[in-house]
Amino acid sequence: MGRPRAFDEDEAVRAAVELFGGRAYDGVSVDDLVGHLGVHRNSLYKTFGSKRGLYLIALRRHLADDVRPLLDALGGAPDAAAVLRLVTAADLRLLLLATVERAPVDEEVASEVTAALAAVDRAIAGALGVPADLAAALTATALGILLRGNPGNVATALTRHLDPLP
């Protein structure tokens, strides 16, 4: 019989979301995970299988904890400016990093990212009553604002011009 787990798996996954969201998959080593999560290397492998295994669990947690509430909030967005404010205020760092770093080389990550972005598009289209292509353009715009690193100022400037849109 093995020893009882000496760490809280839920806390470890939350810490992994923060670490991967701040430094991306390739920017995090197994040693970084062991140090940041406070787990032994053997425990990490036994519990999560691999760095990639932990990454996928962390990505799914991020989608559930950060993207899902955004979808709910977007459902009540009255206009395009509100959509931009909601998306640019959300913590989507891991989603963005997964989109540009891992999705092109990992089919499972690509599937998760594609589904999440499509859900954002649908939430925007439903809230605003706009076609899917316009909703996708608003999603891309909002995510681009986040990538610029100054979402407050850029979104504020842009929303002034979006007030006439639904």
Side-chain angles (χ1 to χ4, degrees):
M1 199 163 155
R3 291 185 338 194
R5 192 172 290 154
F7 68 95
D8 183 320
E9 188 175 329
D10 190 56
E11 287 180 25
V13 172
R14 281 188 236 270
V17 168
E18 288 300 314
L19 193 58
F20 287 126
R23 295 177 28 197
Y25 181 85
D26 287 337
V28 175
S29 69
V30 172
D31 287 337
D32 293 332
L33 289 168
V34 167
H36 190 76
L37 277 56
V39 302
H40 294 285
R41 183 180 297 269
N42 289 343
S43 295
L44 185 132
Y45 284 111
K46 184 176 180 180
T47 303
F48 303 109
S50 64
K51 173 183 163 182
R52 181 180 177 273
L54 175 56
Y55 179 82
L56 287 169
I57 291 168
L59 176 61
R60 290 178 182 128
R61 169 66 62 80
H62 170 63
L63 297 176
D65 290 354
D66 299 313
V67 178
R68 170 59 52 200
L70 172 63
L71 298 176
D72 295 340
L74 286 170
D79 55 35
V83 163
L84 286 179
R85 282 191 294 276
L86 287 167
V87 175
T88 57
D91 180 1
L92 301 177
R93 292 174 296 157
L94 184 50
L95 175 61
L96 288 170
L97 289 171
T99 301
V100 298
E101 180 196 34
R102 298 302 305 157
V105 297
D106 187 319
E107 287 182 28
E108 201 166 354
V109 172
S111 177
E112 295 287 346
V113 165
T114 299
L117 293 175
V120 172
D121 294 345
R122 284 190 306 275
I124 292 170
L128 301 181
V130 298
D133 59 344
L134 179 55
L138 285 170
T139 300
T141 300
L143 295 177
I145 290 169
L146 282 174
L147 287 173
R148 298 254 343 232
N150 190 359
N153 290 340
V154 175
T156 299
L158 188 56
T159 57
R160 279 185 245 139
H161 300 286
L162 290 176
D163 283 337
L165 291 178

